Amino acid sequence: MQRRLWLTLMASGAALNLAACGFELRKAPNFPFKTLYSPFPEGSALGVELRRSLESGGTVQVITDPRLIDQADVILDLLGEVREKIVVSRNAAGLVREFQLRIRFRFRLRTPKGKELIPNAEIVQQRDISFNESAVLAKESEEALLYREMQSDIVQQVMRRLAAVTEL
């Protein structure tokens, strides 16, 4: 009986400590704007994912039609998206053994009147990947997976930076 009471007290104490530390699950961001204009390029997978993430909260409408730019509260200028694949190491025969994959994403946020809310910013993600000539197809799939993972990381960072804007 005393052991059960002791275990109950320990579990209650742990629950109270967790509640008191301020731990809270990440919520959908609150943006100070309701409409955002951005000319996402047609072939940009990063642009498509960013648009979906912005619209998924239900509080922001993304406008891509340049004729409706006047209706936007803010303008997200996409200054560049570059994917790089760099050789990091070679073996004694000169064959590639390791690559470094990178995505560089540059953007800025401004109001239609020109007030800069987020000055030119660059987010860089990179991953290393080994290479083996006997598993070329598997390595191509792994490379595509790493690029998608980096893209998702960049979208989450952009979302947090947009949510950090407090006033227009």
Side-chain angles (χ1 to χ4, degrees):
M1 183 71 158
Q2 192 174 19
R3 183 172 184 225
R4 179 176 277 180
L5 178 63
W6 176 252
L7 289 175
T8 304
L9 285 174
M10 291 294 287
S12 298
L16 286 174
N17 279 338
L18 186 59
C21 76
F23 175 77
E24 186 177 349
L25 291 174
R26 185 178 296 159
K27 297 178 186 174
N30 286 329
F31 299 107
F33 46 86
K34 300 293 179 213
T35 55
L36 176 138
Y37 169 78
S38 189
F40 294 113
E42 288 294 322
S44 171
L46 197 145
V48 169
E49 186 174 345
L50 182 58
R51 179 179 180 177
R52 284 183 187 151
S53 293
L54 284 166
E55 291 180 335
S56 69
T59 59
V60 176
Q61 177 190 2
V62 178
I63 300 169
T64 56
D65 188 352
R67 296 173 296 192
L68 304 175
I69 194 171
D70 297 335
Q71 298 175 6
D73 296 331
V74 293
I75 299 170
L76 179 67
D77 294 320
L78 305 177
L79 304 174
E81 177 188 342
V82 179
R83 292 175 182 239
E84 301 171 320
K85 184 176 181 179
I86 301 163
V87 175
V88 176
S89 65
R90 297 179 183 268
N91 64 10
L95 299 173
V96 174
R97 284 290 159 222
E98 190 174 8
F99 287 108
Q100 185 174 72
L101 307 175
R102 275 191 207 142
I103 298 181
R104 295 177 183 275
F105 182 69
R106 292 182 37 239
F107 69 99
R108 72 176 176 175
L109 185 72
R110 62 184 172 89
T111 63
K113 294 180 181 177
K115 178 183 175 187
E116 256 189 9
L117 303 172
I118 299 176
N120 292 357
E122 181 178 53
I123 299 174
V124 179
Q125 286 285 316
Q126 64 186 29
R127 303 284 190 278
D128 292 333
I129 182 173
S130 62
F131 184 74
N132 186 350
E133 298 84 19
S134 63
V136 173
L137 289 176
K139 288 300 177 179
E140 284 179 4
S141 296
E142 183 180 358
E143 180 180 326
L145 180 68
L146 288 172
Y147 272 126
R148 280 195 304 272
E149 179 185 298
M150 290 187 290
Q151 173 183 302
S152 294
D153 287 348
I154 288 174
V155 166
Q156 291 306 312
Q157 287 186 39
V158 170
M159 293 288 287
R160 285 191 293 272
R161 289 187 189 191
L162 292 176
V165 173
T166 55
E167 61 181 45
L168 303 180

